[in-house]
Amino acid sequence: MNANVRDTSNTTPPVDAPQRSDGARDAVPAAQALPGAAGASPTFSPLYQQIKGLITQSLQAGEWKPGEIIPSEVDLASRYKVSQGTVRKAIDELAAENLLVRRQGRGTFVATHHEDRVQFRFLRLAPDSGEPHHPPSRLIECRRMRAPAEIARQLELRAGDGVILIRRMMDFSDRPTVLDEIWLPGSLFRGLTAEKLNEYKGPMYGLFEDEFGTRMIRAVEKVRAVAADDMTADLLKVPKGFPLLSVERVSFTYGDKPVEVRRGWYVTTEHHYQNELS
């Protein structure tokens, strides 16, 4: 779509145009029906959604880096030739999706994984008592290998493509609590080594963002109860067959491209998995 989008939200429709209370007349057609196509009908995309898409394209292209301020609503409205209200609605949605962060009196910034609020967005394990915190992690292994068929499917790779396997432990109150198995596309994370992981002091997603230009913007998780097998029992210091919470996550970057498969085993003796629904 052309960046110069005409804002029709404030224009008066023709006298014989249908007046609808649901705001449909404020939408502009994104695709037209093909002549003669049986049952075909045009699809519509609200103007603010189109502006949201253009801002997202700029984020994906790296025009504004994580942690940087983006242009003001007035400047963006001028850039896209739309009203400030249309831009504000687009930014509201991007902020709700944790792609942008509004800071009172300072402006709107590109979200970064270094912010606590974003870190806890992906780590949902909380203590039964006390405040949630980001625990230290211990690297168990980091190696390159060929993608198993299921991992390749989830990452949209070909079977046998190069991937990186990371295993790490997260300790809460000095107790092994989370065992993570992380799979990454080798082509996106060239140069990622155990040494680099050990040297980096921030969150792992912050490393992916800073060093490899890959930002996780959404994830899909599956949660189930499992019994600890020999390996997980040994690493988590629990008896074999101990009840664990299994969390499998596929994380996506811009363009809905999968860039991480993460399998976690959680000890929930003193912790619980917390999610907020709205």
Side-chain angles (χ1 to χ4, degrees):
M1 187 184 69
N2 192 299
N4 292 329
V5 182
R6 187 167 64 91
D7 191 350
T8 60
S9 58
N10 295 319
T11 59
T12 303
V15 174
D16 56 353
Q19 300 294 310
R20 293 180 55 177
S21 61
D22 59 1
R25 68 181 179 83
D26 292 335
V28 295
Q32 300 293 340
L34 294 175
S41 61
T43 58
F44 294 87
S45 175
L47 186 57
Y48 80 90
Q49 288 281 359
Q50 297 186 43
I51 301 306
K52 175 185 173 184
L54 291 173
I55 295 173
T56 302
Q57 288 176 18
S58 292
L59 295 172
Q60 182 176 1
E63 180 177 348
W64 311 305
K65 301 290 192 300
E68 290 183 354
I69 192 170
I70 70 168
S72 68
E73 291 177 359
V74 172
D75 290 340
L76 288 173
S78 176
R79 171 175 175 168
Y80 297 127
K81 304 296 189 291
V82 296
S83 70
Q84 187 176 345
T86 297
V87 171
R88 182 177 299 117
K89 194 168 183 180
I91 290 177
D92 285 344
E93 285 211 353
L94 291 167
E97 294 171 8
N98 293 291
L99 296 184
L100 297 176
V101 178
R102 292 187 183 277
R103 295 192 176 125
Q104 188 66 35
R106 296 179 58 193
T108 303
F109 294 75
V110 182
T112 170
H113 285 294
H114 292 283
E115 298 180 64
D116 287 342
R117 61 185 294 275
V118 177
Q119 292 177 31
F120 287 114
R121 176 183 170 216
F122 288 94
L123 179 62
R124 309 304 302 178
L125 199 67
D128 292 337
S129 60
E131 291 295 320
H133 65 282
H134 200 281
S137 63
R138 293 183 285 111
L139 183 66
I140 298 172
E141 69 171 319
C142 175
R143 60 188 172 98
R144 293 180 177 269
M145 58 186 294
R146 298 199 176 278
E150 177 60 16
I151 297 298
R153 183 190 67 79
Q154 291 176 291
L155 290 175
E156 297 181 359
L157 303 173
R158 294 172 299 180
D161 279 356
V163 292
I164 299 173
L165 169 61
I166 300 169
R167 284 196 178 96
R168 68 169 186 173
M169 185 71 66
M170 302 179 77
D171 297 332
F172 287 76
S173 302
D174 297 323
R175 296 180 181 177
T177 306
V178 178
L179 172 62
D180 271 337
E181 180 182 274
I182 302 165
W183 300 83
L184 305 167
S187 59
L188 287 180
F189 292 90
R190 292 188 178 93
L192 180 61
T193 62
E195 290 74 20
K196 191 176 290 289
L197 287 167
N198 282 323
E199 289 171 1
Y200 194 81
K201 301 307 179 186
M204 183 176 287
Y205 279 174
L207 172 65
F208 296 166
E209 180 180 274
D210 292 345
E211 298 291 331
F212 302 96
T214 300
R215 175 168 168 72
M216 313 299 184
I217 63 173
R218 78 174 187 92
V220 175
E221 287 189 337
K222 296 179 181 178
V223 181
R224 59 170 57 91
V226 299
D229 59 17
D230 288 329
M231 183 194 76
T232 54
D234 180 59
L235 291 171
L236 288 168
K237 309 301 182 188
V238 296
K240 182 180 178 180
F242 190 84
L244 300 173
L245 188 67
S246 168
V247 181
E248 181 170 313
R249 175 196 307 165
V250 180
S251 300
F252 299 82
T253 189
Y254 297 107
D256 243 14
K257 178 179 175 59
V259 288
E260 179 201 46
V261 174
R262 183 178 297 224
R263 295 168 175 169
W265 294 269
Y266 294 14
V267 177
T268 57
T269 307
E270 298 177 357
H271 294 77
H272 59 273
Y273 190 89
Q274 179 173 301
N275 201 3
E276 296 181 9
L277 304 177
S278 59

